[in-house]
């Protein structure tokens, strides 16, 4: 796939590297192509950099892993997103987009021509970088009403090394998936379990 990554820090950087190594073409979409977080990603074979609008133009899928309060600015900078899949990895932990409860709500209202899905928000970036827990492989979770966007998110989860990507439900379950991420943050950071932990779906 041709993927634009907007927000090239911890999360965007870890996923860009995984996807590039899986054979996808990744374009980092940045505000300043000479100075941005994650510049070392350009050492990877399938990763290049461009201004946000150019990166989006070249891509079919867009990962947004910036900060929620920047959502409206990013929508403006992206230009035409008609028919493209947008994967929203942001959590409104401390900040929210102006006038919205979370980045997904803002994207649904402001980027109406895109197919939008929530994914890659529910574990730490360290888990995205290495999904292997002593031979148990981490799971990913996704929510949103667009089935096409969810299929893309699922495939990109597998390509990033997750064992499975479970469907949390439609747009009405996105807030729940953010709460799920906050549960990870609570256990890992506030209750002292540390970042090297996951929630695994187990059945019998
Ligand atoms: N950290 C985690 O473990 C984790 C896990 C799951 C989800 N998340 C979510 O993922 C998001 C990113 O987290 P992170 O830890 O990767 O953050 P980070 O390392 O601080 O990176 C943030 C990125 O956002 C970019 N950015 C900021 N404002 C922007 C704007 N107005 N337009 C375009 N790009 C902008 C920054 O670009 P510059 O370098 O140019 O400033 C930077 O590349 C957050 O919403 C967080 O809730 C984080």
């Amino acid at each position: 796939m041709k993927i634009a990554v907007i927000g090239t820090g911890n999360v965007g950087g870890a996923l860009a590297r995984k996807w590039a190594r899986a054979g996808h073409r990744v374009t980092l979409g940045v505000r300043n192509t000479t100075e941005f977080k994650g510049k070392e990603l350009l050492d990877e074979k399938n990763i290049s950099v461009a201004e946000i609008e150019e990166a989006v133009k070249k891509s079919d899928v867009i990962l947004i892993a910036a900060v929620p309060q920047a959502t409206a600015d990013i929508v403006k900078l992206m230009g035409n997103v008609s028919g493209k899949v947008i994967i929203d990895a942001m959590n409104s932990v401390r900040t929210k987009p102006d006038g919205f409860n979370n980045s997904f709500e803002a994207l649904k209202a402001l980027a109406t021509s895109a197919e939008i899905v929530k994914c890659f928000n529910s574990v730490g970036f360290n888990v995205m970088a290495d999904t292997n827990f002593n031979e148990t492989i981490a799971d990913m979770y996704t929510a949103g009403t667009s089935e096409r966007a969810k299929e893309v998110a699922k495939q990109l989860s597998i390509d990033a090394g997750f064992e499975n990507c479970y469907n949390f439900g439609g747009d009405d379950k996105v807030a729940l998936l953010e709460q799920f991420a906050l549960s990870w943050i609570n256990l890992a950071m506030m209750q002292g379990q540390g970042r090297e932990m996951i929630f695994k779906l187990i059945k019998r």
Side-chain angles (χ1 to χ4, degrees):
M1 288 183 225
K2 291 180 184 151
I3 308 166
V5 172
I6 301 173
T8 56
N10 298 317
V11 170
L15 293 173
R17 211 181 277 284
K18 284 290 192 74
W19 291 335
R21 289 181 185 177
H24 297 294
R25 296 273 162 162
V26 176
T27 309
L28 308 175
V30 300
R31 292 170 291 176
N32 175 351
T33 55
T34 55
E35 212 42 67
F36 60 93
K37 195 169 178 186
K39 227 174 154 184
E40 68 286 353
L41 294 164
L42 296 177
D43 295 341
E44 294 282 337
K45 198 172 93 201
N46 286 333
I47 302 185
S48 59
V49 67
E51 285 183 356
I52 291 174
E53 186 169 9
E54 185 59 24
V56 166
K57 208 179 281 177
K58 282 184 177 174
S59 306
D60 315 303
V61 179
I62 304 152
L63 172 80
I64 308 185
V67 289
Q69 66 273 26
T71 309
D73 286 345
I74 290 171
V75 169
K76 280 194 204 119
L77 290 169
M78 287 194 297
N80 184 6
V81 289
S82 185
K84 298 188 192 262
V85 167
I86 296 180
I87 303 175
D88 172 22
M90 298 179 283
N91 289 317
S92 289
V93 182
R94 287 186 208 91
T95 57
K96 294 177 184 196
D98 253 359
F100 299 96
N101 289 315
N102 55 51
S103 53
F104 188 86
E105 267 188 20
L107 285 168
K108 288 291 287 189
L110 303 172
T112 49
S113 59
E115 302 217 22
I116 306 167
V117 66
K118 192 87 176 178
C119 196
F120 302 108
N121 69 309
S122 56
V123 295
F125 68 90
N126 53 305
V127 179
M128 301 181 203
D130 180 2
T131 55
N132 188 342
F133 284 71
N134 306 322
E135 308 306 319
T136 297
I137 306 299
D139 293 325
M140 185 41 70
Y141 305 87
T142 182
T145 298
S146 166
E147 291 302 325
R148 183 165 80 86
K150 261 195 307 212
E151 272 309 306
V152 169
K154 182 171 184 175
Q155 184 59 55
L156 289 177
S157 299
I158 306 296
D159 293 347
F162 290 94
E163 182 160 85
N164 209 331
C165 179
Y166 290 101
N167 180 12
F168 242 67
D171 289 352
D172 60 323
K173 293 293 191 295
V174 167
L176 184 63
L177 186 50
E178 279 214 20
Q179 288 298 311
F180 190 52
L182 297 190
S183 302
W184 185 92
I185 293 168
N186 176 50
L187 275 178
M189 325 280 278
M190 289 147 198
Q191 310 306 326
Q193 295 296 330
R195 300 184 64 91
E196 300 303 333
M197 58 152 276
I198 50 168
F199 295 123
K200 179 82 185 162
L201 198 154
I202 296 173
K203 296 182 187 175
R204 64 175 181 175

